[in-house]
Amino acid sequence: MRDPLSVLTEAFTSFLFGKVETTRLPVRTSTGQAQAVYLPTAAPGLGDSGVIIGREVYSGKGYIYDPFQLYGQQLPAPHWLVLGESGNGKSALEKTYVLRQLRFRDRQVVVLDAQGEDGVGEWNLIAQELGITPIRLDPMTALDGGIRLNPLDPAITSTGQLALLRTIIEVAMGHGLDERSGFALKVAHAYVNETIIDRQPVLTDIVDQLRHPEPESAESMNVDIDDVRAWGLDVALVLDRLVDGDLRGMFDGPTTVGIDLDAPLIVFDLSHIDRNSIAMPILMAIVGVWLEHTWIRPDRKKRIFLVEEAWHIINSPFVAQLFQRLLKFGRRLGLSFVAVVHHLSDVVDGAAAREAAAILKMASTRTIYAQKADEARATGRVLGLPRWAVEIIPTLTPGIAVWDVNGNVQVVKHLVTEAERPLVFTDRAMTESSGPALPEDVQAAEWEAEQRAALIEQQQQLDESSESTVA
């Protein structure tokens, strides 16, 4: 109930001056000007458990990412795609990420290192620091004590051996095996595995059996022995390249003793292989199946499989199918596949576009470094990035990237510690030609200021065409 004195005072005032109402006049402005009344906000992070990557640019918060911690909550799949032109920090990100992951006891990492410097792969320094000897595949040293991987190693199941042989042949031929060639290969492989028990079977045994098939193999299918020999001729010629051709020595003998597949870091050094030759996808196929049957096993370890120059995998339909199958092990066996690609067009416009689309779909994390405007727009369309992220990609400086973690899109500054710096920045051609580097905090502050100004300018340009009245 109101105070009687207040009621009397209000009635007397109204009698003398009349009833007075305050009127607020409308203010004409634009959304660009009115946005100043809103406090700045930033997207939420990914939690505080896992590996620290760096700092989110606009909020300054620490950015932490770990697919094993996020899986099942914020990530439907633990696989990761890294995009960007050379010189923008992809390698530094990968290396620091691996070094930081290896601080957890239940982690294991396999790297396919396709780039090199001074005759060794670019992961050589990190391997040395951790006391690891890279598995260096080199056709020039294979016959002189070099590393050898046997596709018929007993550690690989018989089914896996046959699948690997088929993949090698299909990659080299550029098309799938027909039923007759496949039959000739199957009976040759079965005969070799049944009859050679005192040593490891090798590819030479398969080639010899294809050239000189046993009568029993023909009789079992009620065909002529000459037909079986003719069906296996093309297969024998392809495998002969691994035995007596330009890849001789790397795969035509028992697996080199001493390769430690239980080490925390396993580096396959492919830097001595011509990246544009048929040898690279063949190597990828052999290493992929070899790992599938000897490395990946349900021992509750969290594994990371990082592939440099990944378009060599995705551009070959047969190898892409193999790695697509490998990716499916991620959910069941704790495998995170990391593919590093310069341009998305390298894979989506390639010969294995369908397989590439399937692999990209399984990558719930996408990190995009600086790209040209046209490439950024194409990347944005394929990956479904928001408009503001597409517009900012061409302006990114080295070390800064757009991170899309299952729809959570943020701009992240990757931070490298002084202890990591000599291990991850190995391109002397770049560092010697550049001037003295500014302190990292100064670089980050300058870039953040530039990015904020650019973002405000872009927003104002959008608002100029859509002014509204705010009452």
Side-chain angles (χ1 to χ4, degrees):
M1 185 175 181
R2 296 182 63 185
D3 182 11
L5 180 60
S6 299
V7 173
L8 182 61
T9 302
E10 183 179 337
F12 180 73
T13 303
S14 299
F15 174 76
L16 290 179
F17 305 105
K19 193 168 184 178
V20 179
E21 293 184 359
T22 302
T23 303
R24 299 180 62 185
L25 297 176
V27 178
R28 187 173 183 82
T29 184
S30 69
T31 55
Q33 294 168 326
Q35 68 183 355
V37 303
Y38 295 97
L39 294 175
T41 59
L46 302 174
D48 56 2
S49 181
V51 172
I52 186 165
I53 300 297
R55 184 169 60 239
E56 201 279 321
V57 167
Y58 299 121
S59 69
K61 298 183 298 184
Y63 191 81
I64 296 174
Y65 170 78
D66 191 302
F68 306 111
Q69 296 291 333
L70 297 173
Y71 176 69
Q73 303 174 20
Q74 301 182 51
L75 276 182
H79 310 304
W80 181 15
L81 175 68
V82 182
L83 291 168
E85 296 182 350
S86 298
N88 283 286
K90 296 193 307 296
S91 292
L93 172 65
E94 301 154 23
K95 292 171 183 173
T96 57
Y97 175 74
V98 167
L99 286 170
R100 296 168 190 178
Q101 281 281 5
L102 288 176
R103 296 185 68 85
F104 296 96
R105 293 183 178 179
D106 63 342
R107 301 291 195 266
Q108 189 178 36
V109 181
V110 165
V111 176
L112 297 191
D113 184 4
Q115 303 190 69
E117 187 178 47
D118 294 337
V120 295
E122 65 170 295
W123 284 78
N124 190 65
L125 280 177
I126 290 179
Q128 287 182 346
E129 182 71 14
L130 298 178
I132 303 297
T133 301
I135 302 173
R136 184 166 296 118
L137 297 171
D138 184 356
M140 301 300 294
T141 63
L143 298 176
D144 189 22
I147 297 294
R148 181 183 287 114
L149 298 178
N150 183 14
L152 302 177
D153 192 313
I156 305 175
T157 64
S158 178
T159 302
Q161 292 176 11
L162 184 58
L164 177 53
L165 291 173
R166 287 186 65 99
T167 302
I168 292 171
I169 295 162
E170 289 172 341
V171 168
M173 296 176 68
H175 59 78
L177 279 181
D178 59 37
E179 293 298 329
R180 295 181 178 185
S181 297
F183 171 76
L185 176 64
K186 183 181 71 172
V187 296
H189 173 256
Y191 181 83
V192 167
N193 271 358
E194 290 172 2
T195 58
I196 299 178
I197 57 176
D198 58 339
R199 60 175 175 83
Q200 282 191 18
V202 294
L203 287 180
T204 303
D205 301 321
I206 300 291
V207 174
D208 289 344
Q209 185 60 27
L210 287 168
R211 288 173 173 168
H212 309 289
E214 295 297 319
E216 293 82 357
S217 62
E219 294 172 0
S220 63
M221 293 297 291
N222 196 27
V223 295
D224 190 88
I225 189 66
D226 291 331
D227 290 336
V228 177
R229 185 181 297 108
W231 296 346
L233 181 59
D234 287 343
V235 176
L237 292 174
V238 171
L239 292 180
D240 186 65
R241 181 176 182 181
L242 301 180
V243 174
D244 198 29
D246 51 349
L247 297 179
R248 180 185 179 190
M250 290 191 292
F251 309 107
D252 57 340
T255 299
T256 301
V257 176
I259 294 178
D260 185 7
L261 291 180
D262 291 320
L265 175 65
I266 305 168
V267 177
F268 287 92
D269 184 349
L270 311 180
S271 61
H272 287 253
I273 307 297
D274 182 0
R275 284 180 281 176
N276 296 314
S277 73
I278 193 64
M280 184 61 78
I282 289 177
L283 281 169
M284 294 292 188
I286 291 175
V287 171
V289 173
W290 202 62
L291 286 176
E292 179 181 342
H293 291 271
T294 62
W295 174 60
I296 299 176
R297 51 192 182 272
D299 55 6
R300 305 192 68 82
K301 279 194 175 183
K302 305 296 187 296
R303 292 184 165 90
I304 299 168
F305 187 18
L306 190 150
V307 182
E308 301 265 16
E309 312 288 351
W311 65 81
H312 291 292
I313 290 175
I314 305 175
N315 265 343
S316 170
F318 304 105
V319 183
Q321 291 169 11
L322 186 156
F323 275 81
Q324 185 180 343
R325 185 174 73 248
L326 195 62
L327 263 62
K328 293 179 181 178
F329 284 96
R331 299 180 180 181
R332 184 160 56 90
L333 298 177
L335 172 67
S336 173
F337 179 75
V338 184
V340 184
V341 180
H342 284 194
H343 306 286
L344 204 56
S345 58
D346 292 333
V347 294
V348 297
D349 298 331
R354 184 177 62 181
E355 291 81 1
I359 291 176
L360 292 176
K361 186 177 180 180
M362 285 189 278
S364 299
T365 301
R366 288 81 68 90
T367 300
I368 303 96
Y369 283 88
Q371 295 179 332
K372 293 181 176 62
D374 291 345
E375 185 74 22
R377 286 192 290 270
T379 299
R381 286 193 299 271
V382 174
L383 300 183
L385 297 176
R387 179 179 175 183
W388 69 265
V390 174
E391 292 177 347
I392 209 173
I393 288 173
T395 71
L396 297 174
T397 56
I400 314 287
V402 170
W403 281 66
D404 176 7
V405 182
N406 196 34
N408 185 324
V409 183
Q410 300 191 49
V411 182
V412 180
K413 165 73 176 178
H414 173 223
L415 298 180
V416 182
T417 67
E418 290 303 317
E420 294 167 333
R421 190 172 298 276
L423 297 176
V424 303
F425 292 120
T426 56
D427 193 343
R428 294 194 307 275
M430 290 287 290
T431 56
E432 290 177 355
S433 61
S434 59
L438 291 172
E440 191 169 319
D441 291 343
V442 175
Q443 293 180 10
E446 290 180 352
W447 189 89
E448 290 167 16
E450 293 174 1
Q451 290 301 114
R452 289 192 183 98
L455 196 61
I456 292 172
E457 182 180 352
Q458 291 171 4
Q459 185 64 47
Q460 288 175 343
Q461 291 174 354
L462 291 172
D463 292 336
E464 285 177 358
S465 60
S466 59
E467 287 192 347
S468 61
T469 300
V470 179

